[in-house]
Amino acid sequence: MAYAANTVPTNHINPISSEDNKRDEERQEDSVLDLKDVPVLTPEQEKKLWRKIDMRIVPILSLMYLLAFIDRSNIGNAKLEGLVVQLDLTGNRFNIALIMFIIPYCLFECPANLVLKAFRPSRQVWLPGINFVWGIIMTLMAFVKTYPQLVGVRICLGVAEAGLFPGVVYYLTLWYPRHMLQYRIGLFFGAATIAGAFSGLLAFGISYMGGIDGLEAWSWIFMLEGLATMVAAIFAFFGKCSTLLVDFPDTAKFLTPEERAFIVWRKKYDNSSVGEEERFASRHVWAAFKDWQVWLHIPVYISIVGPLYGITLFLPTIIQSFGYNIPVSQLLTVPPYVAATFTLLAFAHYSDKLKIRSPFILAGLTMCLIGFSMNISTAPSGVKYFGTFFIVMGSYAALPGVISWLGNNLSGQYKRGVGMPLQMCIGNFSGVAAAVIYRSQDSPRFILGHGVELMFVGIGFIFVPIVMFIYKRINAQRDTVERLATERGEKMQYSVQELRELGDRAPDFRYTL
C-alpha cells in the first residue's frame, strides 16, 4: 500500500527541446478542439445553469432515496407495532432479519454500479426499474406470516436496493465538478434524514389502521410505504414534467447544445489539465482495487456508517427504553432527524465552499462520540435523548463528506465507478455488526451496542488523520517537483493520453483534503 509511487518519475523531466515544443503544440491543438464550442459564461449565468440542473435531477433522486430509506428502516417502526409478537421473532431472530438485508445489499453494490454506466439511468429503466422492484417487495412484506418468509423478503429487498445509493452517487459525479459535489450529495442524502422523520410520523398515523381488513398496523406500514415507492418509480419512468430523471450531460435534452458543451467541458477538465479518462478498459477496474486510497477510505466509511446503521435501525427501540409508550416513542424519533437535516446541509455547503472534507468528517465523529458517551452512561433519560440528537446529526452529516472525499480523489470515470462502490460494499458490512449489537436483554443502557459504536468512532479518529497526512505529503511532493521543474526551465514529458491514463497519479493532480 505504498504511496510514494504517486510522485512524478524523474525520468519524465527533461530540459526544453524542440520535441517538447512539438508536444506542447499538440496539447494546445487538443485543447483548442475541446474548447472551440464551449461558451463563455459569466458567474451569474453559470450559477443559473447549475441551479437549472439541480432542479431537474436532484428532486427525483431525493424522492427515490427518501422512499428507499423509509423502506429499509421502517422495520424498526414495525417492531413497535406488533411485528415481533405476530411473527414470533424471539431471541435474535429480529436481528437476523436485519442482517439478511445488509449482506446482499453489500454484495450487489459494486456490480450494480457498472451496470449503470452500461445502461442509461432513465430510459433503460435501471434506477426507476430497481425502484419499482423494491416497491413491490416492500408491499409483499405486508403479507408475510412466518419468520422465514420475512427473512426471504428482506434478502430480496437488499438485492433490489443495492444499486440505488452507489449508482446515484456515481451519477452525480458525472454531472458536478468535485468541489460542487458534496452539497448535491447532501441534498440527495438529506432525503434519508427526512425519511427518518417521516418514518416516525407515518408509523404514528398508520398505527391507528391496525385491524382494518384483518391486517395489523405493521402490515399497513409496509404496504402503504411500498405502494408509494411504486408510484414514484412509475412517475420517474413515464413522467413528462420537469422532474423527470434524465441521462448523462452529453445527452441531456433539457439543456441547450451550448449548455451541454459547457457542462461536459467543465466536468472533463475539473481535476486535470488534459481531461479525464472516459473510455472503458479492464485496467481501470484493477486500478481501483490496487489503489491505496480505496483501502484507507474503507475504515473511514465504516466509522460513520456503522453508527448510522445502528441509530437508524434502533432509534425507536432506544427511545422506548427511556420509558415512553409506543406512540410517543414513534413521535420522538422525528426531532433528531429534523436537526440532522439542517446540520447535514450546513456541513455540505461549507465543505464545498472551503473545498475541504476531513475537518467536517472529524466534526461528525466528535458529535457521535459525545452522543454515544451520553447514552452509555447512567445519565437521566432526558440527557440520553438529547444524546441521540448528536448521534443522528453526526453520522448523517458526515457521510456525504466521506463519500465525496474519495470521489474527489479518484480520477477516471470507470476507476471512480468501481472504487466508490467498493468502498461502500465493504464498508456497509459494518451494518451487519450494527444490526446485532442492540439486544433486547441489554435494555435500557445497551452497553454492548453503544460500546461497539464507540469503537467504530475510534477507528475514524485513527484513519482520518492518516489519510489527511498522506494526501498532504503527496501534494507537497508534487508541488516541489513542479516548482523545481519551473525554476530549471524543464518540462514534463507526458503526452495528453499518458496524463489522462495516470488520472489522480498525474503530476498536475492535487488531492482534496
Side-chain angles (χ1 to χ4, degrees):
M1 197 178 291
Y3 55 82
N6 284 293
T7 56
V8 182
T10 56
N11 61 356
H12 279 79
I13 302 178
N14 286 311
I16 298 174
S17 65
S18 60
E19 185 178 345
D20 294 322
N21 293 330
K22 182 179 179 181
R23 190 185 302 271
D24 288 341
E25 290 172 3
E26 291 175 351
R27 186 175 301 176
Q28 290 170 2
E29 290 174 3
D30 182 77
S31 299
V32 169
L33 289 174
D34 284 327
L35 289 169
K36 65 178 183 180
D37 296 323
V38 178
V40 178
L41 302 183
T42 65
E44 185 59 34
Q45 289 174 325
E46 184 176 352
K47 185 177 180 180
K48 184 178 179 181
L49 175 57
W50 290 118
R51 188 161 52 244
K52 178 181 178 180
I53 294 171
D54 289 340
M55 294 304 296
R56 185 62 185 253
I57 67 176
V58 173
I60 189 63
L61 295 176
S62 298
L63 176 62
M64 282 184 174
Y65 196 61
L66 182 147
L67 294 169
F69 217 82
I70 287 177
D71 290 344
R72 79 177 62 168
S73 61
N74 58 12
I75 192 170
N77 301 103
K79 179 184 178 183
L80 300 186
E81 299 295 343
L83 176 70
V84 171
V85 175
Q86 189 166 0
L87 298 188
D88 192 28
L89 302 183
T90 56
N92 60 358
R93 285 185 168 187
F94 178 77
N95 302 88
I96 292 174
L98 299 180
I99 292 173
M100 299 315 293
F101 166 86
I102 297 170
I103 292 176
Y105 181 85
C106 295
L107 294 176
F108 282 87
E109 278 185 308
C110 195
N113 225 37
L114 293 177
V115 173
L116 176 66
K117 183 63 177 174
F119 291 87
R120 293 164 64 188
S122 60
R123 294 189 184 175
Q124 293 297 338
V125 301
W126 181 243
L127 292 178
I130 60 176
N131 195 190
F132 187 77
V133 169
W134 88 63
I136 294 175
I137 294 169
M138 176 53 57
T139 303
L140 294 176
M141 196 180 296
F143 303 101
V144 297
K145 302 298 182 184
T146 64
Y147 165 66
Q149 290 175 359
L150 177 65
V151 169
V153 176
R154 291 287 294 180
I155 291 173
C156 294
L157 186 65
V159 173
E161 283 199 27
L164 182 69
F165 186 69
V168 169
V169 170
Y170 174 60
Y171 175 64
L172 291 175
T173 68
L174 301 177
W175 279 89
Y176 294 100
R178 60 178 180 164
H179 292 129
M180 296 176 64
L181 182 62
Q182 184 171 338
Y183 185 69
R184 273 68 187 188
I185 292 179
L187 291 174
F188 156 67
F189 191 68
T193 60
I194 296 172
F198 274 176
S199 190
L201 287 173
L202 289 172
F204 174 76
I206 296 173
S207 66
Y208 292 99
M209 296 180 66
I212 297 177
D213 289 337
L215 295 177
E216 296 292 333
W218 64 265
S219 292
W220 282 110
I221 290 174
F222 291 150
M223 181 188 298
L224 294 179
E225 294 175 0
L227 290 172
T229 300
M230 294 168 63
V231 171
I234 294 171
F235 171 75
F237 183 65
F238 292 107
K240 298 297 181 183
C241 66
S242 62
T243 53
L244 176 66
L245 183 64
V246 296
D247 295 305
F248 302 115
D250 56 345
T251 60
K253 294 183 179 180
F254 77 98
L255 297 175
T256 66
E258 293 77 14
E259 289 172 337
R260 286 199 296 270
F262 179 83
I263 295 299
V264 170
W265 168 80
R266 181 79 164 79
K267 184 66 189 76
K268 184 176 182 179
Y269 294 95
D270 174 42
N271 54 17
S272 172
S273 61
V274 297
E276 190 173 50
E277 181 64 49
E278 298 175 357
R279 294 175 298 179
F280 176 77
S282 59
R283 58 184 171 79
H284 298 317
V285 177
W286 296 117
F289 276 91
K290 293 186 293 183
D291 198 313
W292 63 270
Q293 294 185 78
V294 175
W295 300 103
L296 282 185
H297 273 271
I298 287 173
V300 176
Y301 185 83
I302 286 173
S303 71
I304 292 295
V305 84
L308 188 146
Y309 265 112
I311 200 66
T312 300
L313 294 172
F314 292 99
L315 182 59
T317 302
I318 292 171
I319 292 177
Q320 188 187 27
S321 73
F322 298 155
Y324 301 107
N325 59 35
I326 292 175
V328 172
S329 297
Q330 300 280 29
L331 288 176
L332 286 177
T333 63
V334 175
Y337 285 106
V338 173
T341 301
F342 289 106
T343 307
L344 182 153
L345 294 176
F347 273 34
H349 171 76
Y350 286 104
S351 180
D352 273 354
K353 184 176 181 179
L354 299 174
K355 300 181 180 180
I356 52 175
R357 309 296 183 213
S358 52
F360 294 92
I361 298 172
L362 290 172
L365 288 168
T366 301
M367 295 170 76
C368 289
L369 175 64
I370 294 171
F372 283 119
S373 298
M374 293 169 73
N375 272 270
I376 203 172
S377 71
T378 57
S381 296
V383 175
K384 291 188 175 185
Y385 177 63
F386 184 60
T388 64
F389 279 74
F390 283 99
I391 299 170
V392 178
M393 289 190 298
S395 58
Y396 277 82
L399 189 62
V402 172
I403 295 166
S404 300
W405 201 16
L406 180 61
N408 289 166
N409 291 326
L410 289 177
S411 182
Q413 289 187 9
Y414 281 97
K415 181 181 179 181
R416 189 166 56 246
V418 174
M420 294 181 71
L422 180 61
Q423 174 200 32
M424 299 176 200
C425 174
I426 298 176
N428 277 331
F429 275 103
S430 62
V432 174
V436 299
I437 56 179
Y438 285 96
R439 306 176 302 178
S440 57
Q441 62 264 37
D442 296 330
S443 180
R445 285 187 66 187
F446 296 105
I447 293 177
L448 174 64
H450 296 321
V452 173
E453 300 289 26
L454 285 169
M455 178 197 71
F456 285 137
V457 173
I459 290 173
F461 279 118
I462 293 172
F463 279 90
V464 171
I466 290 175
V467 177
M468 289 173 60
F469 171 77
I470 296 175
Y471 280 154
K472 290 182 71 173
R473 181 173 179 180
I474 295 174
N475 285 348
Q477 289 173 338
R478 292 178 183 175
D479 288 340
T480 300
V481 171
E482 184 177 330
R483 177 175 53 79
L484 292 175
T486 302
E487 291 173 354
R488 296 170 183 170
E490 298 172 341
K491 289 270 186 172
M492 299 292 176
Q493 281 213 329
Y494 288 98
S495 68
V496 170
Q497 187 56 35
E498 285 174 335
L499 286 171
R500 286 176 180 164
E501 291 177 357
L502 281 170
D504 50 79
R505 295 181 295 113
D508 61 345
F509 186 93
R510 296 297 182 271
Y511 291 111
T512 298
L513 301 178

